[in-house]
Amino acid sequence: MPDRIEKIIELNAPVERVWKAITDHREFGDWFRVQLDGPFVPGENSTGHITYPGYEHVRWQATVKRMEEPELFSFTWHPYAIDPDVDYSGEPPTLVEFRLEPTPSGSRLTVTESGFDKVPPHRREEAFRMNDGGWTEQMKNIKEYVDR
């Protein structure tokens, strides 16, 4: 089984616009479908609630790692941690990286989530499958959002 998910999309928006969409907590919330409690700050936890239909019971919890404008934004989280009765805090998190680069028509966004080899074996396959599909959907969401 692969250790990482990687999605790449070409966007018809400049890097600066996409950077704001992925690092401003309000804009991120709009396209990612999460209501965040506050801004992203490197080294700090980010909390909130998922607003995607059917997942409203899921708390958003991530730790912001890096914000290197306008090229790299990263955080760690527990993949597909949707069961409110399970404490995922003892599991190693995966690393999510958003990398931006300019292109002649706008920008290229690469999203990578790595570390699935450390997810407990009983959750690994489902977490990978669900997040792979989730990132496919999120790439469509950000494209629609920044192309407006």
Side-chain angles (χ1 to χ4, degrees), residues 15-16 19-20 23 66-73:
V15 166
E16 295 76 19
W19 177 259
K20 187 172 183 209
T23 61
R66 295 165 63 185
M67 293 178 78
E68 298 173 10
E69 187 175 356
E71 299 165 350
L72 174 65
F73 171 54

Side-chain angles (χ1 to χ4, degrees), residues 34-52:
V34 61
Q35 183 175 356
L36 298 173
D37 297 329
F40 292 123
V41 178
E44 294 190 12
N45 291 328
S46 172
T47 58
H49 284 89
I50 303 295
T51 59
Y52 188 84

Side-chain angles (χ1 to χ4, degrees), residues 88-99:
Y88 298 95
S89 64
E91 294 183 7
T94 54
L95 174 66
V96 175
E97 296 176 302
F98 295 81
R99 294 189 180 273

Side-chain angles (χ1 to χ4, degrees), residues 24-66:
D24 178 283
H25 72 286
R26 292 173 297 265
E27 289 200 30
F28 182 91
D30 285 346
W31 65 268
F32 198 89
R33 297 184 180 165
V34 61
Q35 183 175 356
L36 298 173
D37 297 329
F40 292 123
V41 178
E44 294 190 12
N45 291 328
S46 172
T47 58
H49 284 89
I50 303 295
T51 59
Y52 188 84
Y55 292 90
E56 295 94 337
H57 67 283
V58 178
R59 286 227 10 101
W60 163 275
Q61 293 184 23
T63 302
V64 178
K65 293 300 184 181
R66 295 165 63 185

Side-chain angles (χ1 to χ4, degrees), residues 7 42-43 80 89 117 128 147:
K7 305 291 182 186
Y80 200 59
S89 64
D117 60 336
F128 185 91
D147 283 358

